[in-house]
Amino acid sequence: MAADDQPMTFEQSVQAAIELDAPLNERLAVIASAVRRLNSEFADAVDRLVARLKEQGAGASAPAPGDVMPAFLLPDDEGRLVSLSEILSHGPAVITFQRGHWCPYCRLNAIGIVEAQQEISTLRGQVVVIMPERRKFAKAMKASVGAQFPFLTDIDNGYALSLNLAIWVGAEMERLMGLGLDLPNYQGNSSWFLPIPATFVVGTDGIITDRFVDPDYRRRMDIDDLIAALRRAR
């Protein structure tokens, strides 16, 4: 087999997804396909996790359109406390939960938002990423995707829990993820809880206009849908 015919490594697949000119979920599917090709055991375990979460209705009781978005006061990547009311004073907000700096789906999701930052700014939209990681890891992810918007630290998933978004990954995924990830170090605890990577679009009145909540972390709100939601929220 010629060198050019060698199958792509995982990092090469992630880079290909980043460079692909396609809707966000098509780009995310490139990563999911690479995971299945390179580690079918892990991909099958993810399928079982997602099936369990969906059977349990995980995320279904999170705040919905028409509800008031619960307030928060969380530290950003520079250690400054940021409140929801402060964010909404500047315009409608996109509040998005990401699992961590180590998650390639989350990285690509954040890159997709960064790519649309100019259009979001035109709509006076404010973006906030919320992660259950220590500040240095949130700061590293912000830098790696070139974001200008804040990355907030939700230690122990306190805010995610209040929104019914935090889930335990389960014993099987804890074992498999633990082979290559030090989640207790990243989060500062050994709970192995993660947020469902949901996205909420909130008007300046604090009312949720749109949301995307899917326990399958391989899927996210497409950027075109996010922009359309921001237009409705103005």
Side-chain angles (χ1 to χ4, degrees), residues 45-57 215-216 218:
V46 171
D47 289 342
R48 287 189 289 272
L49 168 66
V50 170
R52 170 174 67 83
L53 294 175
K54 288 187 174 182
E55 182 179 355
Q56 295 172 348
D216 188 345
R218 297 166 295 191

Side-chain angles (χ1 to χ4, degrees), residues 1-9 12 37:
M1 181 180 291
D4 290 346
D5 296 330
Q6 292 290 339
M8 286 194 292
T9 66
Q12 287 172 333
R37 172 173 54 84

Side-chain angles (χ1 to χ4, degrees), residues 134-204:
R134 295 160 56 200
R135 181 160 61 95
K136 70 176 183 178
F137 297 110
K139 189 170 186 176
M141 182 170 174
K142 176 180 176 178
S144 73
V145 302
Q148 299 300 312
F149 44 82
F151 279 54
L152 307 185
T153 294
D154 184 25
I155 287 296
D156 297 333
N157 283 287
Y159 187 55
L161 280 165
S162 75
L163 304 186
N164 297 312
L165 287 175
I167 56 98
W168 177 49
V169 300
E172 181 180 38
M173 288 301 299
E174 181 176 329
R175 175 181 64 82
L176 291 172
M177 293 172 68
L179 296 176
L181 299 172
D182 190 359
L183 218 63
N185 177 44
Y186 305 152
Q187 296 188 353
N189 65 66
S190 57
S191 67
W192 288 87
F193 267 66
L194 290 172
I196 294 173
T199 296
F200 300 87
V201 179
V202 185
T204 54

